[in-house]
Amino acid sequence: PATDAGTAQVRDPRGRPLGQALWSPTSEISLRLLDRDPSAELDGEWWHRRLATAIARRAPLVGEANAFRLVHG
């Protein structure tokens, strides 16, 4: 899109929605798909849920590893 950085709905060549992404015209990776739900709202609550899920998924590693990444990329 010819817009400033922000969120964007991703569509296939036929115009069908594929999901929601972060868009940046200046990044080497200009479009980063974050959610395959085209109606997802990438607001504060969305980020809170996703981070909580990622952290909970790694909870079994506590005590098993001396280091691990809570969130990837």
Side-chain angles (χ1 to χ4, degrees):
T3 62
D4 293 333
T7 60
Q9 188 177 75
V10 180
R11 296 179 177 273
D12 71 10
R14 293 182 179 169
R16 293 179 296 204
L18 297 174
Q20 292 290 333
L22 289 181
W23 155 255
S24 174
T26 59
S27 175
E28 288 187 34
I29 302 173
S30 57
L31 197 66
R32 296 171 188 263
L33 188 67
L34 295 180
D35 200 309
R36 292 180 186 266
D37 178 0
S39 64
E41 239 182 279
L42 304 181
D43 58 6
E45 180 58 32
W46 183 92
W47 285 99
H48 180 77
R49 267 193 328 273
R50 293 298 293 256
L51 289 171
T53 299
I55 292 167
R57 184 175 290 164
R58 288 149 179 84
L61 296 174
V62 174
E64 298 296 321
N66 62 4
F68 54 89
R69 188 181 290 186
L70 288 176
V71 178
H72 178 68

